[in-house]
Amino acid sequence: MHGKQMQRLRLFSVMHPVIVRVLAGPFASMILGDLGAEIIKVERPGSGDDTRAWGPPFLGDESVYFLSVNRNKKSIAVNLKDPRGAKLILELAGVCDVLVENYIPGKLSEMGLGYEDVQKVAPRLVYCSITGYGQTGPMSQSPGYDSIASAVSGMMHITGPEDGEPVRPGVAMTDLATGLYTHGAIMAALLWRAKTGRGLHIDCNLLSSQVACLTHIAANYLNAGKEAKRWGTAHESIVPYQGFKTQDGYLIVAAGNNKQFARVCKVLNLSHLSDDPKYKTNTLRVQNRKELLQILSQRFSEKRTSEWLGKFEGTGVPCGPINNIQQVFSDAQVAHNDLIMKMEHPTAGKVVIPGPAVRFSDFKINKPTPPPLTGQHTAQVLREMLGYKDDDIEQLLKAGTVCQNKVR
């Protein structure tokens, strides 16, 4: 990132080796790293982050899963069970701006690394905890996993085909939502610190993030007592607003008002439907959705997706193909938005991943550094950030308190 907005921000993350939110923390810190923050990833010596083994597919010895969310980071391998390892974390807290951790509440306090402990040596530190269910409450000691939180939060209940079984979303949306909340919360906390001179503790968790993201579905129940159901690609309150099968694929059409519905009918050569008393308003279309959708579905099945897209072009009706992943990364707009990012990894070779989602007018995101090997930067961080001498580092390496990867 060009400019000074984030150049001096230092963040380090301490991830639990077993009970781990494997995507929320790495995703949040990766976004901050894209903006120029210096990210130090604290890993378990040896195997490191659990997601390093989450494959296939692998590139070299690294899982593609790990490679997808750990760019722009340095890795140090520290044995937190060794008191000297815990001491290193406190020392890092003293020179960093943000700590992100995802241990079960209370575990880091047992090591002398809880918020109260760290605050004593680093009162300006922003200490961010990511858990499954929050720092307190009846489920606070339960391990947090995306699929479980997705189920408990109601997300899975509303996802899937109409009258079908609940479905897990295709990516870990609860983890990703928590990562986005975490990123925003850290930025807000840094503004708070700039105004007050004090750090604070942030409580991010999967359950709260996903329940908050229920938005109007939650409001329908809380205000009208209306229980939600699964609608597949359809919308509960707008018709037609869903996917339709074509001769060779699927097309999604979103007619959000009566004028757009009339245009859909014109494109389909079914103009009489927009004048039918049963379909003149959206409320009526919702009431008579089954009959209307049968008619529309039959017509959509008569042509290829590309033919329908051509007919809808210029009509003002929101529509688009339901792409597979190959089609996504062949899309001209995806390429234009710089969403294909390439890196050279020291052992895996060429790595291609989705790029940052946001662009800025006055600066560009720098060329990314590849995801690190476990402990790749241990000696560098100890020497440059904490002022350790080479002899001291060698002693820690021999004792197994830290580990250094051979690739530097």
Side-chain angles (χ1 to χ4, degrees):
M1 166 179 170
H2 299 298
K4 298 181 179 179
Q5 292 94 326
M6 297 273 292
Q7 288 294 330
R8 294 183 180 178
L9 178 70
R10 283 178 167 173
L11 178 150
F12 72 110
S13 56
V14 184
M15 299 299 164
H16 194 289
V18 179
I19 308 303
V20 60
R21 265 63 58 195
V22 294
L23 189 53
F27 188 64
S29 58
M30 182 180 71
I31 296 171
L32 292 167
D34 285 336
L35 295 176
E38 183 177 3
I39 310 296
I40 296 99
K41 184 180 182 74
V42 181
E43 298 191 70
R44 172 179 50 188
S47 57
D49 186 326
D50 279 0
T51 62
R52 290 183 182 275
W54 280 27
F58 291 93
L59 289 178
D61 294 328
E62 300 288 351
S63 76
V64 172
Y65 192 113
F66 176 84
L67 295 173
S68 72
V69 289
N70 283 288
R71 65 177 176 261
N72 295 322
K73 300 179 185 179
K74 297 175 181 177
S75 171
I76 65 172
V78 181
N79 179 8
L80 296 184
K81 295 180 180 179
D82 184 332
R84 288 171 294 182
K87 179 176 177 289
L88 286 176
I89 301 303
L90 284 176
E91 291 177 8
L92 276 174
V95 297
C96 288
D97 299 283
V98 182
L99 182 152
V100 178
E101 61 90 8
N102 67 347
Y103 278 65
I104 287 177
K107 286 294 182 182
L108 280 182
S109 294
E110 294 174 4
M111 304 179 197
L113 296 174
Y115 173 62
E116 294 78 10
D117 305 302
V118 174
Q119 190 183 37
K120 294 175 183 177
V121 298
R124 289 175 50 83
L125 184 79
V126 172
Y127 188 112
C128 181
S129 298
I130 304 175
T131 59
Y133 303 97
Q135 292 296 300
T136 59
M139 295 185 69
S140 63
Q141 294 300 303
S142 300
Y145 293 91
D146 173 89
S147 58
I148 309 302
S150 178
V152 174
S153 68
M155 175 67 164
M156 212 175 282
H157 173 71
I158 60 174
T159 305
E162 185 178 0
D163 301 321
E165 295 183 352
V167 170
R168 177 184 176 274
V171 294
M173 288 308 304
T174 303
D175 264 336
L176 294 171
T178 305
L180 290 169
Y181 269 114
T182 300
H183 158 250
I186 289 171
M187 298 294 276
L190 291 169
L191 287 173
W192 159 268
R193 188 182 73 174
K195 290 182 177 181
T196 67
R198 302 193 306 273
L200 47 70
H201 187 203
I202 301 171
D203 175 4
C204 290
N205 66 84
L206 304 186
L207 178 65
S208 295
S209 297
Q210 189 57 73
V211 170
C213 286
L214 293 179
T215 57
H216 70 284
I217 297 297
N220 288 346
Y221 171 75
L222 294 172
N223 294 282
K226 185 175 183 180
E227 181 56 81
K229 59 171 287 187
R230 291 177 286 284
W231 287 100
T233 63
H235 195 292
E236 178 182 15
S237 305
I238 308 173
V239 175
Y241 198 109
Q242 67 178 73
F244 294 94
K245 192 173 184 353
T246 65
Q247 275 188 355
D248 64 342
Y250 292 89
L251 179 77
I252 192 159
V253 174
N257 56 50
N258 295 331
K259 287 184 178 180
Q260 289 179 344
F261 175 65
R263 292 170 186 164
V264 170
C265 294
K266 184 177 180 180
V267 169
L268 298 180
N269 198 23
L270 295 171
S271 293
H272 64 282
L273 291 179
S274 59
D275 296 322
D276 192 312
K278 293 184 294 185
Y279 311 130
K280 285 185 71 67
T281 68
N282 181 68
T283 299
L284 291 168
R285 292 192 292 274
V286 171
Q287 292 172 358
N288 299 289
R289 79 163 62 224
K290 286 192 175 181
E291 180 183 348
L292 174 59
L293 292 176
Q294 285 179 351
I295 298 170
L296 299 181
S297 295
Q298 175 57 45
R299 182 56 56 91
F300 274 113
S301 69
E302 296 172 4
K303 296 183 184 296
R304 297 166 61 88
T305 300
S306 59
E307 293 179 82
W308 285 124
L309 288 172
K311 289 181 176 294
F312 275 107
E313 188 171 354
T315 65
V317 175
C319 66
I322 298 181
N323 286 331
N324 62 29
I325 305 306
Q326 185 275 328
Q327 291 167 326
V328 169
F329 289 102
S330 299
D331 186 276
Q333 190 65 47
V334 170
H336 175 79
N337 288 358
D338 293 327
L339 289 171
I340 303 173
M341 177 175 279
K342 300 177 181 179
M343 299 173 290
E344 283 295 327
H345 189 272
T347 60
K350 182 180 178 181
V351 176
V352 187
I353 58 174
V358 179
R359 294 191 287 184
F360 300 87
S361 62
D362 286 348
F363 61 84
K364 291 185 178 180
I365 292 174
N366 288 337
K367 184 178 180 181
T369 58
L373 300 170
T374 306
Q376 181 177 344
H377 305 94
T378 301
Q380 176 188 348
V381 168
L382 294 179
R383 185 181 302 111
E384 297 178 3
M385 291 182 62
L386 299 182
Y388 275 60
K389 303 298 183 183
D390 287 344
D391 289 346
D392 298 326
I393 295 172
E394 189 62 33
Q395 288 181 8
L396 291 172
L397 289 169
K398 288 181 178 179
T401 304
V402 301
C403 291
Q404 169 67 50
N405 196 288
K406 294 180 181 179
V407 177
R408 302 193 184 190

